[in-house]
Amino acid sequence: MSMKRVLFYALLSLTSLGLAGAGGIFALYLWASQDLPSITKVSDYRPPQVTTVYARDGSVMGYFFREKRFLVNIEQMPPHLPMAFLAAEDARFFKHPGIDLKAIMRAFLKNLLSGSPREGGSTITQQVVKRLLLTPERSYERKLKEAILAYRLEKYLTKEQVLYIYLNQIYLGNSSYGVEAAARTYFAKHVEELTLAESAVLAGLPKAPSRNNPFAEPENIKERQEWVLGRMLREGFISREEYDKALAQPLVYRSLPDPSWSVGSWYLEEVRRQLLAYFTEENVRNKKIPLDMSTHDPSRSPEERSATPYEERVVYEAGLHVYTAMDPVHQRAAETALRAGLHDACQRRGWLGPLQKLPPDAFAGFLSKASFSPQDLENANWVKGLVTAVNRAGAEIALGERYRGYIDIRTMGWARTPNTNISPEAAGRVADAAKVLAVGDVVWVSAVGAEGTANPVSRPFRPGDKNGPEKAYSAAEATPENPIPLCLEQMPDLQGAVASIDVASGDLVAIAGGYAFSPESQFNRATQAKRQPGSSFKPIVYSAALDHGLTAGSILLDAPFVLPASAGSKLWRPGNFDGKFLGPILLRTALAKSRNLCTVRVAQQIGMPAIVERAKKLGIPGDIPDVLAVSLGSYEATPQAMAEAYTAFANKGMRIKPRIIREVQDCWQHSLVAFDPDIQEAVSEQNAFIMATLLKEVVNAGTAARARVLGRPVAGKTGTSNDERDAWFIGFSPYLVTSVYVGYDNNSPMGRMETGGRAALPIFIRYRQTVDPLYPPQDFSVPPGISFSQVDAQTGYLAGAGSRETYFLPFMAGTAPHLVTGKPLERGDDDLRVVEEWMKQIY
């Protein structure tokens, strides 16, 4: 065979082999291309993001998320951050078409030698495809599909878009997705603040974020950082000077504090509940809210996404910006006041007993585990102590293995055996510590003279308080040789709530729903607990009465009242709290002194339907029965609902249904929906002014006289349900309405004399002492159609020369009395008929 023929057949064979190989590659491509996902899912990149909730002042309240991710544009990142990731993951990123053949061949040879696919050789584009479109399995089939999709993706997106997706999608450990979340987690910074050294740390994390955890393994991540910086230097991304400077920079790892579920936890939970209720798929569609969740989180299949309720995907994945009405100063003050008030009320009830009782052979084990430092008592913190000795004068307490403390009987005089039938005054103070504590008791203790906000304490240091400790507690002065002066503490089993509404804005500025928010206690008593408001319902009755012929100067009868039994109901014999009867008194006095029997007679005179109608106008929800007992507050309502009702008296007759959420924006801070308070006329301006004036008398000379300490115009009403089960005070000024409730969740009696004035009012006062300085002092302005008259307290007529007790009272136009006390009546006088009717009522 000639050489020519040999060459011909060789060339033919090579061509055939080439064609066969190309055909095989093409067939392989066609096979691998089957059922590939669409790359358009990546182009509409909307991963799960953090929803951020803001307070009224713009500070962050907390976050809702499934994956902690904050989207940032490439322009927001320092230039060295993307370059650090490129050096570590894909230095030829801007040179290859989505797949790097050199890297693939290198990985192929290594995997071939190892006998298993251990190295991927993936480009950044391939990593994006793998995370968003494919499964994480390690196989040659998946790698081939990954390469095809990566090539296609780079024909569809720019390099910058791919890099943007990668840097926001990548998992970097410690629940941090994307570079912004990682910057916050590891360096307490935002991404634009990262230095070159810190950027290299983040770039070293993707390979093994758990093994290179900066908090747990700082040596590992330091080696990784040096490797990344070396790669950046070799690739020409940084200069030698920048390299040396970055290596020399000390690395300090710390996280931005997460405010979630700290101050404002009750409010944050209410925001979460309202968001879930509002952003249902039906509501979003009907209200045409520009929010599309159909392609959110492309890494999950449509079936996986649909398995999660739509509203949960919105709240936990859409990266919303939620601006609320919560004012941090108000919120902190409300929580602090409520905790202090419940602490005090629970101590008035008595000692509930130790946390546990230990036998002597368990002492050493307990103390060895109870590591204690004097700093643990700072900021008004409580710690657990073990009673090691007790006598009449006090108890010795072991604090860990080295320190000791002592509780003097003078600080635990409150710790009586609980008895709801006896008031604290009648029970007296405990004089023998051995009747309270025993050796082996484990108890909560605080330091005498503690200062801080962690907990209410029994003996805080308050400058200028002559009855308190002489100096503040100092951990630096505590030594193992000298016992630390301590106070006995107990966790309240009593609960309560505060809801406060800013009148001018209609914002619900504070919600405190209980003593402490926790996984075990998330029931928000401010918005969810329906309780009997007792006498705090009476202003609703008297407001209706002013529109049905009665005035502030009307004479009411405070005398026994009996409602006979009728079909389906028993005989009803209400009484006054003090068991006394004052006889004929002014309506003004009846409300200020909270006289039940006067209120029942008013309700009977004007009719319960009028009162039910007024309650509904004032925003009290539900099917209110038109029975006389409702006039004394037997119908249940939430603290927030009662605060809403009183806003009409503070706001010139306009009832405010307050807003909790002011505005919701999407992840790019485009407005989705804004909320305004619902403000409606409930009563006339004149009615509201008279009620505000009368309720100021509750503070000036009635059951809320303690509130005079505030030193500015305040109106309000106390309330106590039967057997002291619920205690209320709802107070207001022209700028702020605050509702306070105290009671047990199981509706047990709180104990004798635990009234609204004793249990709830001090909480209101503590709260208002903190927030009132935010507002200038204001009184209620007198509207047109109001006149004032000096009225005799005995007759209800105009005061005369012989009047001994008089009041300057407001009246609607045409309703002020005309007769003068001491002046003889004349037949035909218009007021004579009123007097005669009153005489019939009494006799």
Side-chain angles (χ1 to χ4, degrees), residues 739-768:
S739 175
V740 178
Y741 157 78
V742 175
Y744 283 103
D745 284 343
N746 63 8
N747 206 31
S748 298
M750 289 183 287
R752 186 69 181 147
M753 301 306 293
E754 286 301 315
T755 62
R758 183 169 207 171
L761 180 60
I763 297 171
F764 172 86
I765 293 171
R766 282 190 181 99
Y767 164 70
R768 292 294 290 261

Side-chain angles (χ1 to χ4, degrees), residues 82-96:
M83 301 308 290
F85 277 89
L86 292 180
E89 298 292 320
D90 188 0
R92 286 170 33 83
F93 175 72
F94 283 101
K95 298 176 181 178
H96 62 63

Side-chain angles (χ1 to χ4, degrees), residues 537-550 599 601-620 624-628 630-631 649 682-683 687:
F537 190 87
K538 288 176 182 175
I540 298 173
V541 177
Y542 286 95
S543 173
L546 293 179
D547 290 337
H548 285 78
L550 296 178
T599 306
R601 283 188 165 86
V602 169
Q604 188 178 51
Q605 179 179 337
I606 68 173
M608 280 303 301
I611 294 169
V612 170
E613 180 185 1
R614 180 54 48 91
K616 289 185 175 296
K617 276 277 192 180
L618 291 169
I620 302 297
I624 306 172
D626 58 352
V627 296
L628 283 177
V630 168
S631 69
F649 306 139
V683 299
N687 184 295

Side-chain angles (χ1 to χ4, degrees), residues 36-55:
L36 284 179
S38 172
I39 60 173
T40 58
K41 288 171 34 177
V42 179
S43 64
D44 188 17
Y45 177 66
R46 288 188 288 173
Q49 301 175 60
V50 172
T51 286
T52 305
V53 183
Y54 302 91

Side-chain angles (χ1 to χ4, degrees), residues 791-804 819-824:
V791 175
D792 186 283
Q794 303 299 316
T795 65
Y797 299 159
L798 297 174
S803 297
R804 290 176 296 177
L819 298 180
V820 178
T821 301
K823 180 180 178 183

Side-chain angles (χ1 to χ4, degrees), residues 308-477:
T308 303
Y310 182 91
E311 57 272 20
E312 290 187 16
R313 286 192 285 134
V314 172
V315 173
Y316 293 107
E317 300 177 13
L320 304 176
H321 294 271
V322 182
Y323 296 88
T324 75
M326 189 272 272
D327 185 298
V329 176
H330 283 263
Q331 183 66 33
R332 193 173 292 108
E335 292 181 11
T336 300
L338 180 62
R339 286 166 62 84
L342 295 178
H343 174 269
D344 294 346
C346 196
Q347 284 198 349
R348 289 194 297 271
R349 179 177 169 86
W351 174 236
L352 301 176
L355 299 171
Q356 59 185 123
K357 289 180 174 289
L358 298 179
D361 60 359
F363 287 9
F366 172 82
L367 294 174
S368 65
K369 295 178 182 178
S371 60
F372 172 80
S373 165
Q375 284 75 21
D376 295 341
L377 288 168
E378 291 184 332
N379 192 34
N381 274 301
W382 298 358
V383 299
K384 291 180 181 179
L386 175 66
V387 179
T388 55
V390 62
N391 56 32
R392 184 179 180 85
E396 295 179 14
I397 306 295
L399 302 169
E401 294 182 301
R402 297 183 58 224
Y403 288 87
R404 296 175 297 128
Y406 184 76
I407 306 176
D408 193 289
I409 183 59
R410 290 173 294 182
T411 69
M412 68 169 96
W414 57 270
R416 65 187 177 104
T417 301
N419 185 338
T420 58
N421 297 317
I422 302 175
S423 69
E425 291 78 11
R429 293 182 62 80
V430 175
D432 185 352
K435 293 182 178 180
V436 179
L437 298 175
V439 173
D441 285 353
V442 177
V443 296
W444 287 115
V445 295
S446 67
V448 171
E451 288 184 298
T453 58
N455 291 291
V457 292
S458 298
R459 294 278 289 166
F461 173 72
R462 296 192 180 101
D465 182 0
K466 297 180 180 179
N467 298 318
E470 294 181 357
K471 63 178 183 177
Y473 168 75
S474 172
E477 297 177 5

